[in-house]
Amino acid sequence: EVQLLESGGGLVQPGGSLRLSCAASGFTLTSFAMSWVRQDPGKGLEWVSAIGGSGGRIYYADSVKGRFVISRDISKNTLSLEMYSLTAEDTAVYYCAKGDRSNYKEGRLDNWGQGTLVTVSS
Amino acid sequence: QSVLMQPPSVSGAPGQRVIISCTGSTSNIGAGSDVHWYQQFPGTAPKLLIYDNSNRPSGVPDRFSGSKSGISASLAITGLQAEDEADYYCQSYDRSLSGAGVFGGGTKLTVL
């Protein structure tokens, strides 16, 4: 059974940093693309970042490019999102989601974690 | 503003049929990119409802169906039930955005 468990969310001051983690089980990260999708409270979904199964192709939304870094620890089967220079606009629930294939430019997100809330406020 | 456009809300009485539209452009849906639909209840993560335009994952009732034509896609729900009240999002890929995944703005379904 596929499971995704996010952690690392919390309250951070504007300009601060945070690292989110997503522990994956039931499959191997090297076989599937993984994405981070965020949702402002009461708002819609925004695709934030993605990494292909091979690890060689990475995507960032313009809103986070240069501030967020997606990575994987294959030995721990864990996906991470390092977030820097955070602003109030980054306040959201962050979900990690598994793609159904290795290429993040195709396919569906067939499994989602429960989400972790990031609040940027002074 | 979302790349894929959905009506903010739709409603229907129990037993009725509702349709949620998802309108894109020639750089996403119209370019041949598949459309997927997700269902989200308050306080929970989205769940895959329809994939590859019209396919249902195991466990999704056949009351839910999807279709795609031109630059648009649609989600139809027949025999509406109270437990269908949720937010629904369409998703595809946009070639003008380096192939990035894009979502619709979401549609709140209210069962009257």
Side-chain angles (χ1 to χ4, degrees), chain A residues 29-32 34 51-56 70-74 78-80:
Chain A
L29 290 183
T30 54
S31 297
F32 299 96
M34 293 294 294
I51 183 168
S54 67
I70 190 172
S71 63
R72 310 178 305 180
D73 185 332
I74 302 305
T78 298
L79 177 75
S80 294

Coordinates of all heavy atoms in Angstrom, one line a residue, chain A residues 29-32 34 51-56 70-74 78-80:
Chain A
L29 N 10.9 5.8 -4.9 CA 10.9 7.1 -5.5 C 11.6 7.2 -6.8 O 11.2 8.0 -7.7 CB 11.7 8.1 -4.6 CG 11.0 8.5 -3.2 CD1 11.8 9.5 -2.5 CD2 9.6 9.0 -3.5
T30 N 12.5 6.3 -7.1 CA 13.3 6.3 -8.4 C 12.4 5.8 -9.5 O 12.8 6.0 -10.7 CB 14.5 5.4 -8.3 OG1 14.1 4.1 -7.9 CG2 15.5 6.0 -7.3
S31 N 11.2 5.3 -9.2 CA 10.4 4.8 -10.3 C 9.3 5.8 -10.7 O 8.6 5.6 -11.7 CB 9.7 3.5 -9.9 OG 10.7 2.5 -9.7
F32 N 9.0 6.8 -9.9 CA 7.9 7.6 -10.1 C 8.3 9.1 -9.9 O 9.1 9.4 -9.0 CB 6.7 7.3 -9.2 CG 6.2 5.9 -9.4 CD1 6.7 4.8 -8.6 CD2 5.3 5.6 -10.4 CE1 6.2 3.5 -8.8 CE2 4.8 4.3 -10.6 CZ 5.3 3.3 -9.8
M34 N 7.6 12.8 -8.4 CA 7.0 13.2 -7.2 C 6.8 14.7 -7.3 O 7.6 15.5 -7.8 CB 7.8 12.9 -6.0 CG 8.0 11.4 -5.6 SD 6.4 10.7 -5.1 CE 6.1 11.5 -3.6
I51 N 9.8 16.5 -9.3 CA 11.1 15.9 -9.7 C 10.7 14.5 -10.4 O 9.9 13.8 -9.9 CB 12.0 15.7 -8.4 CG1 13.3 15.1 -8.8 CG2 11.3 14.8 -7.4 CD1 14.3 15.2 -7.7
G52 N 11.4 14.3 -11.5 CA 11.2 13.1 -12.2 C 11.8 11.9 -11.5 O 12.6 12.0 -10.6
G53 N 11.3 10.7 -11.9 CA 11.8 9.5 -11.2 C 13.3 9.3 -11.3 O 13.9 8.8 -10.4
S54 N 13.9 9.7 -12.4 CA 15.3 9.6 -12.5 C 16.1 10.6 -11.7 O 17.3 10.5 -11.4 CB 15.7 9.8 -14.0 OG 15.5 11.1 -14.4
G55 N 15.4 11.6 -11.3 CA 16.0 12.7 -10.5 C 16.7 13.8 -11.3 O 17.1 14.8 -10.8
G56 N 16.7 13.5 -12.6 CA 17.4 14.5 -13.5 C 16.7 15.7 -13.9 O 17.2 16.7 -14.4
I70 N 13.8 21.3 -4.3 CA 13.3 19.9 -4.1 C 14.4 18.9 -4.2 O 15.3 19.1 -5.0 CB 12.2 19.6 -5.2 CG1 11.4 18.3 -4.9 CG2 12.8 19.6 -6.6 CD1 10.2 18.1 -5.8
S71 N 14.3 17.9 -3.4 CA 15.4 16.9 -3.4 C 14.8 15.5 -2.9 O 13.7 15.5 -2.4 CB 16.6 17.3 -2.6 OG 16.2 17.4 -1.2
R72 N 15.7 14.5 -3.1 CA 15.3 13.2 -2.6 C 16.4 12.5 -1.9 O 17.6 12.8 -2.2 CB 14.9 12.3 -3.8 CG 13.9 12.8 -4.7 CD 13.6 11.9 -5.9 NE 14.8 11.4 -6.6 CZ 14.8 10.6 -7.6 NH1 13.6 10.1 -8.0 NH2 15.9 10.2 -8.2
D73 N 16.1 11.7 -0.9 CA 17.1 10.8 -0.2 C 16.6 9.4 -0.6 O 15.7 8.9 0.1 CB 17.1 11.1 1.3 CG 18.2 10.2 2.0 OD1 18.5 9.1 1.5 OD2 18.6 10.7 3.1
I74 N 17.3 8.8 -1.5 CA 16.9 7.5 -2.0 C 17.0 6.5 -0.9 O 16.2 5.6 -0.8 CB 17.6 7.2 -3.3 CG1 17.4 8.2 -4.4 CG2 17.2 5.8 -3.8 CD1 16.0 8.4 -4.7
T78 N 12.7 9.3 0.8 CA 12.1 10.5 1.4 C 12.3 11.6 0.4 O 13.3 11.8 -0.1 CB 12.7 10.8 2.7 OG1 12.4 9.8 3.7 CG2 12.1 12.1 3.2
L79 N 11.2 12.4 0.2 CA 11.2 13.6 -0.6 C 11.3 14.8 0.3 O 10.7 14.8 1.4 CB 9.9 13.6 -1.5 CG 9.7 14.8 -2.4 CD1 10.6 14.8 -3.6 CD2 8.2 14.9 -2.8
S80 N 12.0 15.8 -0.1 CA 12.1 17.0 0.7 C 11.8 18.3 -0.1 O 12.0 18.3 -1.4 CB 13.5 17.1 1.3 OG 13.7 16.1 2.2

